[in-house]
Amino acid sequence: MNTAIFCGIIIAVVLLVILLMGAPISIAIGISSIVAILPVLDINAAFLTGAQRTFSGISIFTLIAIPFFILAGNIMNKGGIAMRLINFAKVLTGRIPGALAHTNTLANMMFGSISGSGVAAASAMGTIIGPIEEKEGYDKDYSASANIATAPTGLLIPPSNVLITFSLVSGGTSVAALFMAGYIPGILWGFACMIVAFIIAAKRGYKSSQKYSIKEVIKIIFDAIPSLLLIIIVIGGIVKGVFTATEGSVVAVVYSLILSLFFYKTIKVRDLYDIFKASAETTGIIVFLIGVSSIMAWVMAFTGIPAAISNVLLGISNNKVIILLIINVVLLFVGTFMDITPAILIFTPIFLPVCTELGMDSIQFGIMLVLNLCIGTITPPVGNILFVGVRVAETKIEKVIKPLLSYYVVIFAVLMLVTFVPAISLWLPRLLGY
């Protein structure tokens, strides 16, 4: 049997068995990778190489951006940013049908990008906006579905830790270019969902009764500007070359600290220990995952697994459309039961060579990959955003799935645009010289 196929089967089987035993994904990746290389190398060489690859996998300067963006996100999460962004979004949506659902969408897009977490966005927005929508007469499941469907948009709209992770595993795709590439797909996702929310709300007669005076509008806007400036400062500085993405993550931490401690005064010094602790725990999990995934990436490259899979896919058909559809189906399936970060680490080395062979830019592939996996966060059986959104809305999954179906359709349409229209993800980076 071909070595690549044999080692690939070993990885898949061992990985599945260890996961079914309840082990963490990082442990499963590390063990399956070492076991897969044993037919090729002796046990001492396998473990020695594995240790070396783990260390080299985390010894990358760009990786420093991840813990700092995580820290900045946790500071902003605790810093009372959500309510200010919600008020700002309510001013923008006015009194159109489904205004509060549109407010939820815009707030998810802004807060998700600032916090870097779709789960945090779904939790914060569902907790705050949900009761307001219920008071206005909105159906609970309608509100929950709008919140769940739009919470992942912040994972595409920068700054985004998952795009930094893709940059690392893809061999150095520009982080700044990926950040720019995420804007249009993320905004398209949000606005496509707003169309669905508008149509349903118009049929049901959901309208907001809230009115703002000019004075209140001005106060709300000025109150939200400091929070929105974080995105402008960080992304603007990276694009203009004032600082790198890694340095930009430190700027985000310093800015969010000053904003929360001294401007909004929503965080006390005594709160910082818990924030730093939570950030360190999350960072440790992600960095260790990246380290052990470097073993798998090396095993795949050493045994020729990506090339073998590429040959299989290209052997199925020479039609680019069919191959890309197959890849999308696989990624959509994977996203339903695997978290985004490990999925990026595992499937980038497998599918990136195939898509490159088809003429797809690595930037476009990165956005397509992340968008696919984001959809998995809002679909059963393991969609973490789906479960969080249902829990904060105090409803049931079976009640939310039906209204979510309409959102799945438009989100899939956005995915197809990203897959087959390169300009959707490449126009902005190319405009800025990437």
Side-chain angles (χ1 to χ4, degrees):
M1 184 184 292
N2 183 283
T3 301
I5 296 175
F6 182 62
C7 291
I9 292 173
I10 291 176
I11 287 179
V13 171
V14 176
L15 183 67
L16 181 61
V17 170
I18 295 176
L19 286 176
L20 290 174
M21 291 171 62
I25 182 69
S26 53
I27 301 298
I29 289 173
I31 293 176
S32 62
S33 301
I34 294 297
V35 172
I37 200 64
L38 288 178
V40 182
L41 298 177
D42 65 71
I43 189 167
N44 291 329
F47 277 101
L48 178 62
T49 304
Q52 292 173 336
R53 292 291 167 176
T54 300
F55 182 77
S56 62
I58 61 175
S59 302
I60 302 172
F61 179 71
T62 310
L63 189 60
I64 300 173
I66 291 179
F68 281 109
F69 275 129
I70 290 172
L71 177 57
N74 282 336
I75 294 170
M76 301 295 274
N77 287 346
K78 301 290 184 180
I81 307 302
M83 196 65 225
R84 290 171 173 85
L85 294 178
I86 287 172
N87 289 333
F88 178 68
K90 284 168 73 175
V91 168
L92 294 179
T93 56
R95 300 180 65 195
I96 60 176
L100 289 174
H102 305 318
T103 296
N104 194 333
T105 298
L106 292 176
N108 272 337
M109 292 165 71
M110 292 184 286
F111 187 71
S113 66
I114 290 172
S115 68
S117 170
V119 169
S123 178
M125 300 308 152
T127 302
I128 297 170
I129 299 182
I132 301 174
E133 289 179 296
E134 191 171 355
K135 186 178 178 181
E136 291 278 347
Y138 286 45
D139 177 71
K140 184 183 291 188
D141 300 321
Y142 165 82
S143 303
S145 63
N147 182 41
I148 292 165
T150 58
T153 53
L155 298 174
L156 286 165
I157 301 172
S160 169
N161 288 328
V162 292
L163 290 178
I164 295 174
T165 302
F166 172 78
S167 170
L168 294 172
V169 75
S170 66
T173 305
S174 168
V175 174
L178 287 166
F179 279 2
M180 292 301 99
Y183 271 111
I184 294 177
I187 292 171
L188 277 177
W189 179 327
F191 279 100
C193 290
M194 289 176 75
I195 293 172
V196 174
F198 176 87
I199 293 171
I200 297 173
K203 290 181 179 179
R204 299 185 181 183
Y206 295 152
K207 292 185 179 180
S208 176
S209 59
Q210 181 131 21
K211 295 181 180 179
Y212 293 103
S213 65
I214 297 297
K215 184 179 179 180
E216 288 175 324
V217 169
I218 293 172
K219 183 182 183 302
I220 288 171
I221 292 174
F222 273 95
D223 204 28
I225 283 175
S227 301
L228 297 172
L229 277 176
L230 173 65
I231 302 174
I232 297 172
I233 291 171
V234 173
I235 302 304
I238 293 172
V239 172
K240 291 294 184 181
V242 178
F243 41 72
T244 64
T246 305
E247 294 162 343
S249 66
V250 180
V251 171
V253 170
V254 174
Y255 182 86
S256 58
L257 266 177
I258 294 173
L259 189 64
S260 299
L261 282 171
F262 305 112
F263 189 81
Y264 290 145
K265 296 181 181 179
T266 47
I267 288 180
K268 306 295 182 184
V269 173
R270 64 175 177 269
D271 298 326
L272 294 179
Y273 173 78
D274 289 335
I275 292 172
F276 286 131
K277 180 183 177 182
S279 301
E281 290 172 350
T282 304
T283 298
I285 293 169
I286 293 176
V287 170
F288 181 64
L289 186 54
I290 290 173
V292 295
S293 293
S294 299
I295 307 174
M296 180 172 283
W298 172 75
V299 170
M300 287 181 175
F302 186 80
T303 58
I305 292 173
I309 294 175
S310 177
N311 290 334
V312 170
L313 285 174
L314 295 174
I316 293 174
S317 172
N318 57 5
N319 189 309
K320 178 180 179 179
V321 173
I322 292 175
I323 295 174
L324 289 177
L325 285 174
I326 293 172
I327 291 173
N328 274 295
V329 169
V330 172
L331 291 175
L332 285 170
F333 174 72
V334 166
T336 62
F337 64 86
M338 186 177 289
D339 286 338
I340 293 180
T341 299
I344 289 173
L345 295 168
I346 293 172
F347 290 95
T348 297
I350 293 175
F351 289 134
L352 179 57
V354 179
C355 291
T356 302
E357 181 76 18
L358 296 172
M360 179 181 283
D361 191 283
S362 63
I363 297 171
Q364 182 188 1
F365 172 78
I367 300 302
M368 182 187 80
L369 171 68
V370 170
L371 204 160
N372 265 293
L373 298 175
C374 282
I375 295 173
T377 65
I378 61 172
T379 54
V382 194
N384 51 2
I385 291 177
L386 172 64
F387 286 110
V388 168
V390 167
R391 188 173 68 247
V392 298
E394 297 180 352
T395 184
K396 297 180 179 179
I397 291 179
E398 55 267 28
K399 292 183 178 181
V400 172
I401 288 297
K402 185 177 179 180
L404 269 175
L405 292 176
S406 299
Y407 291 102
Y408 290 147
V409 171
V410 296
I411 294 169
F412 183 76
V414 173
L415 173 62
M416 291 298 98
L417 285 174
V418 169
T419 301
F420 297 110
V421 183
I424 298 292
S425 50
L426 296 180
W427 176 77
L428 193 53
R430 296 291 183 256
L431 181 68
L432 296 171
Y434 293 103

